[in-house]
């Protein structure tokens, strides 16, 4: 074994550079962050050949004192930290004092700088670790750094660089993050002398998003703000219709710094649950402000990850704020105009009409007993009276008065008291037409609505089910004789593993020995289908999961699965009362526009579109 040696400083620098400087975009990030720390209001970035040949960053910041120029290249030389305590309340982008020394270790650097108060500035060059003598420089106030021939002395790194277009792409991403994190900053990016981006200082956040991601995203943004507090979240999220196939348009910032965080990305994605199809990702630009001493930014070589002291609090803040914002929107999918036709601006229900997070409508919905809370026999056996005969109360024949005409059955869960009737008008029976036993067609003031009866009912059941679980008001029907269900061994084990979550959902399962589980209760709300059918849906769901889902995800997904199983199906003929009731509950739903799997429950055809199709306008 060779003897232990202390490494010479040029080797140490290259090792440090290996962590911090991976490609041209890393240099751009470090240099622009320095300019931001220097209080710059305008930063110009010039690249040649994707930054592999030249990176030049010029700012109008505070400049560097001529006496400090050489020191800027030294290892661990910084003006931003004085004691170790400062590390725990970082207010600047940089603080480790290793960027300039690292960059100078892997590229040929020229640094020119002039503090505004001085009549002239100074220039130094650093070539292969050798610093030139400072020379006077007469540029305008601020700092200008040029990095040429990146990795000229690290052939391995150079080999790993990708095409010019790819490297430029990485720089654009870096500039995007810096421009989003610093509204008010004028940033210009040029490549081979051609302008790539110019972001004026006056461009606010939404305009910046539009500039980088196009009008299509800009137009569907919803602004959010959690309100003042120790932690605050502001930013924009996009309408679910503007979803993406990956999470690249999910941007997180804390105290102006971009970072990545799987848990918070999850919180964002979770807030869109039910609004996005599987495999689709939300678009969001979230800006957190937290006290600097509750944040550790010194946990990752390029500071791309951070650690929050109050991790779960931040998670909840993101989830609750995004979710509440989405609930304020009435998210109806619109029929896309035929190709070549401009798509009409989606009319939206005004905010005051849209249900809030704790909308009184929800409570009303909870107090209303739906026909499908009754067993299928009871529902189906109901004689359908003509609307006039029922007078003002369309439910008269459906819920309260139906007892005497029915044989009581073990599954009969009829509420003993007459349910409260909501005090607002219901769609008159007969205004909706059922077609193909699958869709309901409804006239609306501005056109017509085609509703998928299964998707809508699924959504309604899902919401009721979820609310009752949340409020601890889930009614459970115990089976007189528990139902033994035979399953293959691994399925039985899966079910028993999930027994606690299933109990919260009203499904009581226990081990009956062998490969049999015993089902002894089920939720009343889903009484429309036989318990074992619902249970089978649950087993099928558990089988599709490779890894055990989190409790929340399990509850959500199972609620959706069970609602799906229990809902009316495509192909079920509905009575006028059932149609009326579905439409009535549609009004009460939090999000009546998507089934829990994210598919639309209804499509809107505007009168204008119809007129256009028929050549009337
Ligand atoms: P850090 O940013 O972590 O302090 P750097 O190696 O990036 O370390 O920079 C070293 C020092 O050089 C900074 O602390 C700062 O004082 C100075 N400096 C670098 N770039 C600029 C700039 N554009 N304007 C003013 N000062 C700068
Ligand atoms: Mg720095």
């Amino acid at each position: 074994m060779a003897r232990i040696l202390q490494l010479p400083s040029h080797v140490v620098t290259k090792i440090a550079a290996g962590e911090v400087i991976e490609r041209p975009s890393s240099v751009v990030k470090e240099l622009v962050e320095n300019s931001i720390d220097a209080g710059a209001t305008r930063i110009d970035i010039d690249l040649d050949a994707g930054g592999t040949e030249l990176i030049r960053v010029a700012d109008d910041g505070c400049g560097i004192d001529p006496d400090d120029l050489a020191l800027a290249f030294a290892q661990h030389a910084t003006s931003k930290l004085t004691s170790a305590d400062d590390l725990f309340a970082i207010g600047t982008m940089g603080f480790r004092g290793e960027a300039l020394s690292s960059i100078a270790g892997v590229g040929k650097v020229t640094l020119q700088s002039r503090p505004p108060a001085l009549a002239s500035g100074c220039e130094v060059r650093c070539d292969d670790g050798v610093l030139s003598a400072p020379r006077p420089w007469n540029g305008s106030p601020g700092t200008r750094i040029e990095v040429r021939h990146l990795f000229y002395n690290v052939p391995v790194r150079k080999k790993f660089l990708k095409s010019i277009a790819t490297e430029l792409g990485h720089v654009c991403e870096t500039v995007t993050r810096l421009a989003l994190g610093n509204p008010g900053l004028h940033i210009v990016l040029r490549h081979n002398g051609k302008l790539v981006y110019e972001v004026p200082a006056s461009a606010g956040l939404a305009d910046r998003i539009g500039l980088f991601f196009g009008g299509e995203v800009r137009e569907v943004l919803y602004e959010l703000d959690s309100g003042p507090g120790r932690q605050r979240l502001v930013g924009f999220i996009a309408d679910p219709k503007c979803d993406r196939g990956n999470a690249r348009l999910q941007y997180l910032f804390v105290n102006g710094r971009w970072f990545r965080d799987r848990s918070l990305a999850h919180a964002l994605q979770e807030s869109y649950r039910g609004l996005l199809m599987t495999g689709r990702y939300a678009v969001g630009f979230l800006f957190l402000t937290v006290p600097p001493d509750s944040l550790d930014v010194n946990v990752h070589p390029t500071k791309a990850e951070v650690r929050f002291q109050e991790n779960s609090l931040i998670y909840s803040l993101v989830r609750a704020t995004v979710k509440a914002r989405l609930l304020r929107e009435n998210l109806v999918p619109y029929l896309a105009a035929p190709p070549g036709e401009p798509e009409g601006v989606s009319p939206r229900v005004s905010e005051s009409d849209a249900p809030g997070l704790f909308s009184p409508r929800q409570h009303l919905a909870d107090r209303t007993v739906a026909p499908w809370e009754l067993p299928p026999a009871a529902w189906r056996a109901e004689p359908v009276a003509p609307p006039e005969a029922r007078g003002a109360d369309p439910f008269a024949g459906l819920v309260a008065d139906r007892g005497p005409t029915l044989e009581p059955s073990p599954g009969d869960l009829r509420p003993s008291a007459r349910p409260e009737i909501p005090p607002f008008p219901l769609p008159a029976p007969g205004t909706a037409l059922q077609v193909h036993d699958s869709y309901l067609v409804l006239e609306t003031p501005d056109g017509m609505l085609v509703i998928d009866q299964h998707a809508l009912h699924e959504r309604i059941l899902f919401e009721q089910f979820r609310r009752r679980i949340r409020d601890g008001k889930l009614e459970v029907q115990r089976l007189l004789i528990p139902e033994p269900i035979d399953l293959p061994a691994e399925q039985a084990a899966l079910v028993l593993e999930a027994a606690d979550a299933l109990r919260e959902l009203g499904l009581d399962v226990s081990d009956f020995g062998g490969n049999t589980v015993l089902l002894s209760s089920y939720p009343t709300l889903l009484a429309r289908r036989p318990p074992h059918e619902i249970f089978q849906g649950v087993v099928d769901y558990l089988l599709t999961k490779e890894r055990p889902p989190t409790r929340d995800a399990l509850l959500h997904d199972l609620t959706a699965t069970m609602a799906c199983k229990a809902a009316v199906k495509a192909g079920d003929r509905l009575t006028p009362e059932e149609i009326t009731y579905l439409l009535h509950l549609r009004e009460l739903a939090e999000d009546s526009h998507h089934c829990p799997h994210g598919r639309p429950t209804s499509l809107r055809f505007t009168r204008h579109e119809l007129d256009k199709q028929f050549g009337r306008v």
Side-chain angles (χ1 to χ4, degrees), residues 375-454:
W379 192 9
R380 299 277 165 201
E382 202 48 47
V384 177
E388 321 79 66
R390 291 198 309 272
D393 182 355
F395 303 102
L398 204 75
V399 182
D401 302 334
R402 44 184 251 314
T405 63
L406 292 167
E407 288 296 323
S409 70
D412 195 341
L413 313 157
R414 213 158 6 99
S416 49
R418 184 189 168 86
E420 236 171 290
I421 301 299
F424 48 79
L426 300 169
T431 51
L433 185 71
Q434 188 186 29
V435 294
H436 298 293
D437 290 347
S438 300
Y439 298 106
L440 306 178
V441 181
L442 186 67
E443 182 183 328
T444 62
D446 69 338
M448 70 181 200
L449 211 55
V450 179
I451 295 171
D452 178 327
Q453 65 186 36
H454 168 70

Side-chain angles (χ1 to χ4, degrees), residues 102 147 165 183 190 195 246 271 326 358 501 523 574 595:
S102 298
V147 181
R190 273 180 234 100
L195 185 69
N246 55 51
S271 324
L326 284 169
F358 301 107
L574 303 182
C595 81

Side-chain angles (χ1 to χ4, degrees), residues 314-605:
I314 304 283
Y315 181 95
S316 314
L317 177 74
V318 169
R319 197 169 149 187
T321 312
V322 174
K323 210 164 173 182
R325 187 62 190 85
L326 284 169
L327 277 177
R328 276 170 55 196
E329 295 302 320
N330 201 17
L331 303 168
V332 191
Y334 277 78
L335 180 75
E341 306 273 340
E343 203 170 337
V345 179
S346 310
R348 299 235 173 237
V349 169
S350 77
E351 244 165 47
S352 57
D353 287 341
L357 186 56
F358 301 107
S359 151
R361 297 213 248 167
Q362 288 179 17
H363 298 284
L364 213 50
D366 276 342
R367 284 183 286 138
T368 313
V369 178
W372 41 86
E373 288 193 50
L374 311 168
W379 192 9
R380 299 277 165 201
E382 202 48 47
V384 177
E388 321 79 66
R390 291 198 309 272
D393 182 355
F395 303 102
L398 204 75
V399 182
D401 302 334
R402 44 184 251 314
T405 63
L406 292 167
E407 288 296 323
S409 70
D412 195 341
L413 313 157
R414 213 158 6 99
S416 49
R418 184 189 168 86
E420 236 171 290
I421 301 299
F424 48 79
L426 300 169
T431 51
L433 185 71
Q434 188 186 29
V435 294
H436 298 293
D437 290 347
S438 300
Y439 298 106
L440 306 178
V441 181
L442 186 67
E443 182 183 328
T444 62
D446 69 338
M448 70 181 200
L449 211 55
V450 179
I451 295 171
D452 178 327
Q453 65 186 36
H454 168 70
L456 176 60
H457 190 196
E458 186 184 3
R459 178 81 217 178
I460 291 168
L461 282 180
F462 171 73
E463 285 188 9
Q464 289 187 321
F465 198 18
R466 195 178 51 176
R467 266 197 305 272
R468 290 183 194 188
I469 293 171
R470 189 192 62 202
D471 301 345
K473 289 193 187 137
L474 187 69
E475 287 166 42
V476 168
Q477 175 68 23
R478 300 213 69 79
L479 292 168
L480 279 180
I481 305 163
E483 201 167 328
I485 297 171
D486 292 327
L487 293 170
E490 78 283 0
Q491 295 187 13
L494 266 179
V495 167
L496 291 171
E497 227 168 67
D500 286 347
L502 295 179
R503 193 161 307 117
E504 286 190 59
L505 296 164
L507 288 176
D508 212 332
V509 290
S510 52
D511 193 356
F512 192 57
N515 295 332
T516 305
V517 296
L518 218 49
L519 179 65
S520 40
S521 75
Y522 63 97
T524 307
L525 191 62
L526 306 186
R528 216 180 154 265
R529 302 265 166 197
H532 65 261
E533 255 182 45
I534 299 200
F535 185 73
Q536 192 52 50
V538 168
V539 175
D540 291 343
Y541 164 78
L542 291 174
L543 283 177
T544 60
K545 292 281 133 184
E546 274 171 31
R547 269 172 272 124
T550 61
R551 180 184 160 278
D552 279 358
L554 187 69
L555 281 182
H556 177 281
D557 292 350
L558 285 180
T559 311
T561 302
M562 291 163 72
C564 174
K565 283 278 161 200
V568 295
K569 300 273 174 285
D572 287 352
R573 166 60 43 103
L574 303 182
T575 65
E577 283 74 17
E578 290 165 350
I579 294 175
T580 306
Y581 212 98
L582 257 180
L583 297 178
H584 163 62
L585 282 186
R586 178 175 191 274
E587 297 295 309
L588 300 173
E590 257 172 66
D591 173 1
S592 59
H593 310 305
H594 300 85
C595 81
H597 301 107
R599 286 190 299 278
T601 60
S602 51
L603 289 175
R604 186 186 294 264
F605 295 73

Side-chain angles (χ1 to χ4, degrees), residues 243-247 269 276-282 597:
D243 58 359
R244 288 291 181 272
N246 55 51
Q269 198 65 23
L276 297 172
M277 299 281 269
T278 318
R280 304 297 293 174
Y281 291 83
H597 301 107

Side-chain angles (χ1 to χ4, degrees), residues 30-31 33-34 37 80 93-95 97-100 303:
E30 294 298 335
L31 296 184
E33 286 189 350
N34 279 346
D37 284 344
K80 303 167 195 174
M93 304 297 281
F95 52 86
E98 60 183 11
L100 282 188
K303 310 176 192 102

